[in-house]
Amino acid sequence: MESTVLAVALGFLLLAKGSVGDEAREAEAVRELVARLLGPGQAADFVVSVDRALAAESGLDTYSLSGGGGAPVRVRGSTGVAAAAGLHRYLRDFCGCQVAWSGSQLHLPRPLPAVANELTEATPNRYRYYQNVCTHSYSFVWWDWARWEQEIDWMALNGINLALAWSGQEAIWQRVYLALGLTQSEINEYFTGPAFLAWERMGNLHTWDGPLSSSWHLRQLYLQHRILDRMRSFGMIPVLPAFAGHVPKAITRVFPRVNVTQLGSWGHFNCTYSCSFLLAPGDPVFPLIGSLFLRELTKEFGTDHIYGADTFNEMQPPSSEPSYLTAATAAVYEAMIAVDPDAMWLLQGWLFQHQPQFWGPAQVKAVLEAVPRGRLLVLDLFAESQPVYIHTASFHGQPFIWCMLHNFGGNHGLFGTLEAVNQGPRAARLFPNSTMVGTGIVPEGIGQNEVVYALMAELGWRKNPVPDLVAWVSNFASRRYGVSQPDAGAAWRLLLRSVYNCSGEACRGHNRSPLVKRPSLKMSTTVWYNRSDVFEAWRLLLTAAPNLTTSPAFRYDLLDVTRQALQELVSLCYEEARTAYLNKQLDVLLRAGGLLAYKLLPALDELLASDSRFLLGSWLDQARAMAVSEAEAQFYEENSRYQLTLWGPEGNILDYANKQLAGLVADYYQPRWGLFMETLAHSLGQGVPFKQQEFEKNVFPLEQAFITNKKRYPSQPQGDTVDLAKKIFLKYHPKAGSL
């Protein structure tokens, strides 16, 4: 009951801030979306309107569908987002279409199917949230406006009404720091490079692989204005950043008596790049900086009154005393309301699960009760695997959003916890005295495992779980490819019961396959599924291929499953090579090691090169396109290469953001695997033990060489995905349990 009352209250509060005039703007935004999505001709078949009265009773986003069958399809929504979600529901459930990152399938039947009885649907919760702070670095960092426009359209169609809008904030911070008396060189020294800004924003890092150029600031300001304008045109609520308490060291020069504490190191970085300075909550400089920033920010961008800030993300506070944690939390909130009395704070709840040994009941309570109830909106960030609301009495009465994190580092690799995702939101709503007010999609990186995101987006509009996930995933395959193909459906059902069926707290969407890790003799190849299901799904997709080759989404999936199968084969080869080394079988080691390093990895690289979505060159070209000079282009490219590999100057968070991209496999993963196998063979041949530390010393220059080389990689695909997948299958598919 309490959660329903809270959701309704929040709904009315936020809806009241809109005006009748916004209805026309939001309807026009959705009509323009339809034209972008379907083209002007087909857009004429849809009549879109926005009417707040649809949600007058509940305050929750609502849409209605009617018409079709020779007449225009009528889509009404209480907001632009609701109307877009209604449009997507019609395209998905009535037309069998799909909107996806990897390529949308929008073959509409003629005439358009009729909605026999008017369909009205209201979301069960106020919010459908999207983004992780890290997504801005792992996925969005090099986007231009065209790519942002596509993403905001995707957000609207999936009913997202609350999202981070954090671009351009460094330009505002620069203004604030200059006004406070910092020099430009001190500011330049503080900011990280573009690919690492997420962690500078959360206080984890400073300086690393920076600075930021004036052209970067100008471009990001331009993008932020366009992003905000488009989000608001749909009726979305953009979440702006606020001051969390972290400051540049140079603040101590400007204010010599300022009370700051230097926090510990983060992510294996030393204090050259981490150990951030945190203002004491009672220091008068705290509200000064917090209000200066928010005032300058809202003057530039306006506001929708929700702000994000994370003071202790993956960093231990200087004191565990509840009184300190209360004061530190209250200081952040008070700096917000000093500028915006209507401010609500959006807090990522990751801190509570990342260091559970620190965040005991008293410490958690101190943070959650330091802000007036209803003014702190908590993201239960990893709720599909490790929900926090259960252990904190529903966040001590603060409203929270049940979130699916799913992906770490933007890794490639088939992974999902679909059963937990399907059941989780309803369980949270039914929790005693639940204060759940929404669902969220919060991956560190996007562009992978689209089936997981399709389900989570749908659950944002469902009051109950999908009753039959097996039937749902079969329908997903049919929508995705535009036709029901038995072998393709069977392949997806195998994937559902294997790679997408991870369960338990240990499930994390972080690819730890030996393929993408620095080699050693102690690597784990354990998986939570039967590899034979992946190999059989691979065979079934190839069997279905003759009927589906015109589908871009099918080609993407065939490549992705073939990539996964090769990843499995690499693990099996590694196990064989390791066993051979331990048993002193040089001939077996040479065979297995040679197959891994000189056959499987080159075959994978060639396969990846057949699709523009798996090209290193495409990723690096996006980075270079942000530059205004060749020197800046090289700098941005270096940022990208570091993030994908070493992450820090010494491999500080080595391979965390691993990807499987053509060029990266050939020039980064393959050379180090080749060296590893050669080192093992040399050790056996010479009768000397393999020394991991010595190998790491020798492999590090190879890893560095990938970052510093000036090689340009193709940004256009080469070869045919289906032919290459078939060739790899015929050559390497396991037979009778062996290679």
Side-chain angles (χ1 to χ4, degrees), residues 564-640:
Q564 186 74 19
L566 282 167
Q567 178 175 297
E568 310 294 354
L569 292 169
V570 165
S571 291
L572 296 175
C573 278
Y574 164 72
E575 288 178 347
E576 187 175 356
R578 177 174 59 186
T579 301
Y581 172 80
L582 296 174
N583 292 335
K584 297 182 168 52
Q585 298 171 309
L586 182 59
D587 57 335
V588 179
L589 170 64
L590 291 172
R591 186 190 72 81
L595 178 59
L596 189 162
Y598 303 111
K599 296 293 184 182
L600 293 179
L601 293 183
L604 174 59
D605 197 80
E606 185 181 16
L607 173 74
L608 295 168
S610 69
D611 193 308
S612 61
R613 296 161 290 192
F614 288 92
L615 297 180
L616 175 64
S618 297
W619 178 247
L620 296 182
D621 281 358
Q622 285 180 47
R624 296 181 66 89
M626 299 293 285
V628 296
S629 68
E630 177 57 27
E632 191 171 61
Q634 290 180 15
F635 167 58
Y636 290 162
E637 183 171 338
E638 178 191 88
N639 252 243
S640 276

Side-chain angles (χ1 to χ4, degrees), residues 509-559:
H510 189 191
N511 191 356
R512 299 186 183 276
S513 164
L515 193 161
V516 293
K517 308 301 285 184
R518 180 188 279 172
S520 80
L521 286 173
K522 297 181 178 180
M523 306 175 81
S524 173
T525 59
T526 302
V527 293
W528 63 93
Y529 51 88
N530 190 331
R531 286 189 170 99
S532 64
D533 284 342
V534 173
F535 293 132
E536 179 61 9
W538 183 23
R539 185 190 71 80
L540 287 166
L541 285 180
L542 277 167
T543 304
N547 301 308
L548 300 174
T549 52
T550 59
S551 165
F554 174 78
R555 286 179 169 271
Y556 177 95
D557 291 343
L558 177 62
L559 189 154

Side-chain angles (χ1 to χ4, degrees), residues 581 586 589-590 676-688 694:
Y581 172 80
L586 182 59
L589 170 64
L590 291 172
F676 179 70
M677 293 303 178
E678 290 166 18
T679 305
L680 289 182
H682 176 78
S683 295
L684 272 189
Q686 298 298 313
V688 296
E694 186 175 320

Side-chain angles (χ1 to χ4, degrees), residues 72-390:
V73 175
R74 297 190 174 276
V75 182
R76 282 200 310 151
S78 58
T79 63
V81 165
L87 169 70
H88 189 223
R89 169 78 178 275
Y90 178 81
L91 295 174
R92 185 189 71 205
D93 292 355
F94 289 82
C95 300
C97 295
Q98 187 186 59
V99 178
W101 289 317
S102 60
S104 299
Q105 188 282 111
L106 294 168
H107 300 299
L108 272 62
R110 292 293 178 181
L112 290 177
V115 182
N117 299 302
E118 182 174 0
L119 171 65
T120 300
E121 192 75 61
T123 181
N125 291 110
R126 173 68 185 102
Y127 297 116
R128 282 85 53 210
Y129 174 77
Y130 178 51
Q131 296 180 35
N132 185 306
V133 173
C134 298
T135 325
H136 280 254
S137 287
Y138 285 133
S139 294
F140 303 165
V141 57
W142 308 120
W143 281 6
D144 58 12
W145 168 242
R147 182 62 187 86
W148 266 112
E149 183 173 55
Q150 292 174 11
E151 194 69 9
I152 296 170
D153 282 353
W154 179 91
M155 290 161 59
L157 289 162
N158 283 286
I160 303 298
N161 68 343
L162 183 67
L164 294 184
W166 278 27
S167 299
Q169 64 174 285
E170 284 70 34
I172 307 301
W173 275 119
Q174 180 169 262
R175 293 179 199 170
V176 170
Y177 292 145
L178 287 172
L180 288 170
L182 274 70
T183 66
Q184 187 63 57
S185 62
E186 288 171 333
I187 296 168
N188 289 345
E189 184 181 334
Y190 179 66
F191 289 139
T192 67
F196 302 98
L197 282 175
W199 300 277
E200 181 264 309
R201 292 167 176 175
M202 293 185 289
N204 307 117
L205 286 180
H206 56 82
T207 310
W208 165 237
D209 216 16
L212 300 175
S213 68
S214 57
S215 65
W216 172 268
H217 291 310
L218 288 171
R219 185 184 288 267
Q220 294 303 306
L221 284 172
Y222 161 80
L223 280 174
Q224 176 74 340
H225 277 289
R226 297 204 70 171
I227 290 164
L228 289 171
D229 182 68
R230 183 58 57 82
M231 285 185 177
R232 288 166 176 159
S233 74
F234 284 121
M236 293 179 192
I237 303 167
V239 178
L240 296 176
F243 179 53
H246 312 109
V247 292
K249 182 180 180 181
I251 286 291
T252 61
R253 179 190 61 78
V254 178
F255 301 101
R257 299 176 65 182
V258 71
N259 186 356
V260 296
T261 300
Q262 190 168 17
L263 300 178
S265 62
W266 175 85
H268 307 292
F269 283 85
N270 62 32
C271 291
T272 303
Y273 300 117
S274 66
C275 309
S276 67
F277 286 84
L278 183 67
L279 273 173
D283 193 284
V285 175
F286 198 115
L288 171 67
I289 294 178
S291 59
L292 272 176
F293 173 71
L294 202 59
R295 191 170 289 113
E296 189 66 28
L297 184 83
T298 55
K299 183 172 73 174
E300 179 77 33
F301 299 127
T303 186
D304 296 84
H305 309 290
I306 302 185
Y307 306 95
D310 298 286
T311 305
F312 300 118
N313 179 72
E314 298 190 357
M315 294 186 297
Q316 186 160 308
S319 170
S320 62
E321 284 297 322
S323 59
Y324 169 79
L325 296 171
T326 295
T329 306
V332 174
Y333 176 69
E334 286 163 7
M336 291 181 194
I337 60 172
V339 177
D340 181 356
D342 295 327
M344 179 183 287
W345 180 359
L346 182 83
L347 174 71
Q348 292 189 130
W350 179 253
L351 74 167
F352 300 133
Q353 60 202 170
H354 182 259
Q355 291 181 304
Q357 71 283 0
F358 177 89
W359 292 100
Q363 288 72 31
V364 172
K365 184 177 182 181
V367 168
L368 295 173
E369 294 191 350
V371 178
R373 188 169 294 185
R375 291 297 192 98
L376 185 67
L377 181 55
V378 185
L379 301 177
D380 200 346
L381 212 67
F382 196 25
E384 80 271 29
S385 292
Q386 298 175 20
V388 174
Y389 74 88
I390 294 172

